[in-house]
């Protein structure tokens, strides 16, 4: 299972530290991660609008322009599955972070041991979610459907209509 990790921080030093931690984590745990770095929330949002769908998002809270919390709020409008982990130097926004369904709120400085434990936990969660979902080619691209969010499936001719709990209907060709 190749997990996609995106991380966003306006501080170049923090980006380098996260990159080094993820590289060391891959080496020590023997996992493969596809990592993408972003230096602003707007850059991250543009990549996601172009189709980037990370499994895990490591997001700084305090950034110039758009904050991590407001970026997460926008991301949640089209992706409820990404696990968002806030990495920040301020405990001030911890309560706010959970209003956007944060997986975790990690205070900086980031220590290797706690970061690795956090990554172990979030990767296990992603693997469990993958086991309870199906991957479909839909009209709007490839989508993962979590079975616990699926209300019912309707077949009309050669069209499969997947009715989700949130009212969304995904269409795929098949029988």
């Amino acid at each position: 299972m190749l997990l996609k990790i995106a991380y966003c921080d306006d501080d170049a030093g923090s980006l380098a530290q996260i990159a080094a931690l993820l590289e060391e984590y891959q080496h020590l745990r023997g996992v493969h991660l596809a990592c993408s770095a972003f230096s602003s929330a707007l850059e991250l949002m543009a990549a996601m609008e172009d189709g980037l769908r990370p499994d895990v998002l490591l997001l700084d809270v305090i950034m110039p322009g758009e904050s991590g919390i407001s970026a997460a709020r926008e991301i949640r409008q089209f992706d409820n599955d990404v696990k968002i982990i806030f990495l920040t130097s301020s405990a001030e926004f911890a309560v706010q972070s959970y209003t956007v369904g944060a997986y975790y709120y990690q205070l900086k400085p980031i220590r290797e041991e706690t970061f690795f434990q956090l990554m172990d936990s979030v990767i296990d969660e992603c693997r469990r979610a993958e086991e309870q979902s199906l991957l479909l080619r839909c009209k709007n691209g490839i989508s993962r459907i979590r079975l616990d969010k699926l209300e019912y499936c309707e077949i009309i001719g050669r069209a499969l209509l997947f009715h989700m709990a949130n009212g969304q209907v995904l269409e795929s060709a098949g029988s």
Side-chain angles (χ1 to χ4, degrees), residues 107-125:
L107 287 175
K108 293 177 183 177
I110 304 165
R111 289 190 274 290
E112 183 176 291
E113 182 182 328
T114 56
F115 182 78
F116 285 7
Q117 289 172 349
L118 177 56
M119 290 304 297
D120 288 342
S121 171
V122 76
I123 286 172
D124 285 346
E125 181 75 23

Side-chain angles (χ1 to χ4, degrees), residues 67-79:
S67 75
I69 299 283
S70 62
R73 199 169 281 120
E74 284 185 50
I75 289 167
R76 283 294 183 230
Q77 292 178 2
F78 60 88
D79 188 343

Side-chain angles (χ1 to χ4, degrees), residues 2-3 5 8 12 21-22 25-26 30-31 41 45 48 70 74 78 83 85 95 106-107 117 136 156 162 167 174:
L2 177 69
L3 282 171
I5 310 284
C8 181
L21 284 168
L22 288 169
Y25 181 81
Q26 289 182 84
V31 297
M45 298 295 297
M48 292 187 78
S70 62
E74 284 185 50
F78 60 88
K83 307 287 185 270
I85 297 171
V95 173
Q106 175 72 53
L107 287 175
Q117 289 172 349
L136 278 190
I156 300 175
F162 294 87

Side-chain angles (χ1 to χ4, degrees), residues 3-71:
L3 282 171
K4 294 175 288 224
I5 310 284
Y7 53 102
C8 181
D9 199 307
D10 63 311
D11 178 59
S14 292
L15 283 177
Q17 180 192 20
I18 295 166
L21 284 168
L22 288 169
E23 187 66 36
E24 181 69 11
Y25 181 81
Q26 289 182 84
H27 176 72
L28 290 175
R29 297 295 198 265
V31 297
H32 299 290
L33 304 173
C35 301
S36 305
F38 301 93
S39 57
S40 76
L42 295 175
E43 191 182 318
L44 168 67
M45 298 295 297
M48 292 187 78
E49 286 174 9
D50 287 341
L52 175 71
R53 289 292 177 266
D55 299 298
V56 178
L57 177 56
L58 305 170
L59 189 57
D60 186 20
V61 173
I62 303 168
M63 293 185 282
E66 187 163 12
S67 75
I69 299 283
S70 62

Side-chain angles (χ1 to χ4, degrees), residues 90-148:
S90 172
E92 177 183 349
F93 301 97
V95 173
Q96 240 186 321
S97 73
Y98 293 102
T99 65
V100 293
Y103 182 81
Y104 200 77
Y105 192 90
Q106 175 72 53
L107 287 175
K108 293 177 183 177
I110 304 165
R111 289 190 274 290
E112 183 176 291
E113 182 182 328
T114 56
F115 182 78
F116 285 7
Q117 289 172 349
L118 177 56
M119 290 304 297
D120 288 342
S121 171
V122 76
I123 286 172
D124 285 346
E125 181 75 23
C126 288
R127 286 182 175 144
R128 276 193 300 276
E130 184 179 74
E131 290 170 3
Q132 299 167 1
S133 65
L134 29 118
L135 207 55
L136 278 190
R137 182 175 306 278
C138 297
K139 284 186 172 183
N140 59 347
I142 295 177
S143 296
R144 178 172 303 281
I145 295 179
R146 290 183 33 199
L147 297 179
D148 63 331

